[in-house]
């Protein structure tokens, strides 16, 4: 089968110079969905198309339309769409590409690199895995009183700005290189009674979906362990049966490689966080310095346990999300060359070391 997503991008991009086409003839593809038809290898491609009614100088009335065409190839699907839709398809305003799990397992996302060869391309569009029927989702008129494109993109943009989810832009996969950016976590969406919701991340190995996921809380902590800057992320959990909430004010990660001359013994992932304690139970009380120190240790122990679970899941998926292989190759090239990283990574001793410093609570004696 043809290289699915890349072919789609090529087809949509071969539209000529957009500024030489009348605005009223533009068909702006806001969201693209890609799946298979039934159990076949025939492709199902869906588009949420935005355009303008009564276009004139200074604007017009925006409207959106969902259109879907199956095809033996992307070229076939796009050709049928062009035949049945008056106007010119353009992806310059495309903000989101949704792919289904079975398509993600079969079509490595590094095929997207061909999109970078075009002057006009959707490099800043989001990528996400949608674990549901995107036809039902994208064909809706509105979700929570918002247009489908605004709701879906707002859902991702807001969480990304908070630092709770990874930044999955086409640009990262196109310009990130092919040697090490083949294992990653793509934001995962699932159906919700009112539309869709974020459900953590889907883990990819060698550019293919493994079928293994991290949940929302794991994704947030994994982002911090991977070096996402502190953006006042709020973490809520329990320690010793008590609920606590902290707001991350600063975070610094680091990797330590412990080795002998010929073998790798251990990799430590450290994460030092300065946080604001929001609450530690149903009733807010005054805290002494010794009490805060005990809380720092308890919270760090809780987060370390969660980090250990994240690492176990990544190793189960054989997904090097933290790019530890890149780190080893950069600073210990001889050691890396003597290893079969893909075979040895799942069995490595990888230890998280998390330290928490409570800056203040506002209720300190």
């Amino acid at each position: 089968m043809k290289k699915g997503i890349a072919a789609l991008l090529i087809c949509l991009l071969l539209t000529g110079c957009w500024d030489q086409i009348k605005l009223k003839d533009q068909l702006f593809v806001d969201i693209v969905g890609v799946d298979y038809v039934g159990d076949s290898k025939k492709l199902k491609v869906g588009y949420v198309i935005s355009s303008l009614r009564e276009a004139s100088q200074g604007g017009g009335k925006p409207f959106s339309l969902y259109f879907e065409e199956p095809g033996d190839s992307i070229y076939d699907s796009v050709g049928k769409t062009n035949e049945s839709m008056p106007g010119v398809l353009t992806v310059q305003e495309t903000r989101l590409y949704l792919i289904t799990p079975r398509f993600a397992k079969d079509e490595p996302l590094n095929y997207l690199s061909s999109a970078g060869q075009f002057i006009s391309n959707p490099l800043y569009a989001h990528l996400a895995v949608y674990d549901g029927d995107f036809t039902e989702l994208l064909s809706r008129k509105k979700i929570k009183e918002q247009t489908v494109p605004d709701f879906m993109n707002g859902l991702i943009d807001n969480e990304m700005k908070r630092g709770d989810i990874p930044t999955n832009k086409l640009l990262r996969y196109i310009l990130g290189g092919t040697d090490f950016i083949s294992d990653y976590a793509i934001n995962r969406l699932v159906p919700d009674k009112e539309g869709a919701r974020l459900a953590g991340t889907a883990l990819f190995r060698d550019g293919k979906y493994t079928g293994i996921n991290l949940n929302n809380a794991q994704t947030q902590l994994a982002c911090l362990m991977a070096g996402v800057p502190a953006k006042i992320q709020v973490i809520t959990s329990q320690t010793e049966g008590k609920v606590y909430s902290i707001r991350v004010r600063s975070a610094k990660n680091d990797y330590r490689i412990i080795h002998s001359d010929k073998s790798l013994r251990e990799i430590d992932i450290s994460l030092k966080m300065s946080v604001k304690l929001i609450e530690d139970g149903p009733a807010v009380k005054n805290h002494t310095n010794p009490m805060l120190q005990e809380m720092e240790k308890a919270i760090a122990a809780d987060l370390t346990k969660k980090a250990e679970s994240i690492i176990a899941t990544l190793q189960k998926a054989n997904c090097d999300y933290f790019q530890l292989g890149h780190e080893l190759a950069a600073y210990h090239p001889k050691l890396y060359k003597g290893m079969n990283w893909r075979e040895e990574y799942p069995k490595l001793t990888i230890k998280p070391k998390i330290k928490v410093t409570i800056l203040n609570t506002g209720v300190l004696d």
Side-chain angles (χ1 to χ4, degrees), residues 1 36 41 100-108 111 207-209:
M1 190 190 73
Y36 292 120
K41 289 298 183 179
T100 62
R102 60 178 178 172
F103 188 81
K105 289 178 180 179
D106 196 42
E107 290 292 328
Y111 290 159
K208 295 183 179 182
Y209 178 37

Side-chain angles (χ1 to χ4, degrees), residues 205 311-320 339-350:
R205 177 182 67 249
I311 291 170
T313 301
L314 292 173
Q315 289 186 290
K316 178 182 177 181
N318 202 352
C319 171
D320 185 13
M339 300 175 60
N340 185 325
W341 181 255
R342 183 59 74 195
E343 289 186 5
E344 296 187 39
Y345 168 75
K347 300 176 287 186
L348 288 177
T349 298
I350 303 173

Side-chain angles (χ1 to χ4, degrees), residues 276-335:
K276 169 72 181 290
L277 179 65
I278 302 174
E279 60 182 66
D280 68 330
V284 176
K285 58 185 178 181
N286 292 341
H287 300 286
T288 63
N289 280 321
M291 291 172 63
L292 288 179
Q293 290 172 4
E294 288 300 314
M295 292 185 65
E296 288 173 346
K297 293 178 181 178
I299 292 172
D302 176 56
L303 295 180
T304 297
K305 185 177 181 180
K306 288 177 168 55
E308 289 171 348
S309 177
I310 291 170
I311 291 170
T313 301
L314 292 173
Q315 289 186 290
K316 178 182 177 181
N318 202 352
C319 171
D320 185 13
Y321 171 64
F322 296 124
Q323 301 297 302
L324 299 177
H326 195 177
E327 189 81 5
L328 185 64
Y331 294 101
H332 304 280
K334 292 183 179 179
L335 188 61

Side-chain angles (χ1 to χ4, degrees), residues 8 11 18 25 37 53-54 71 104 106 128 140 156 194-195 224 249 274 282 295-296 298 325:
L8 171 62
C11 290
W18 73 273
D25 294 330
V37 177
R53 287 195 180 107
E54 301 178 12
D106 196 42
R140 296 188 180 200
I156 294 174
E194 296 187 50
L224 289 167
R249 304 305 296 269
S274 297
M295 292 185 65
E296 288 173 346

Side-chain angles (χ1 to χ4, degrees), residues 238-252:
Q238 292 187 21
T239 177
E240 298 178 354
K242 296 180 180 180
V243 176
Y244 70 85
S245 293
I246 55 176
R247 180 176 289 117
V248 181
R249 304 305 296 269
S250 68
K252 182 178 180 180

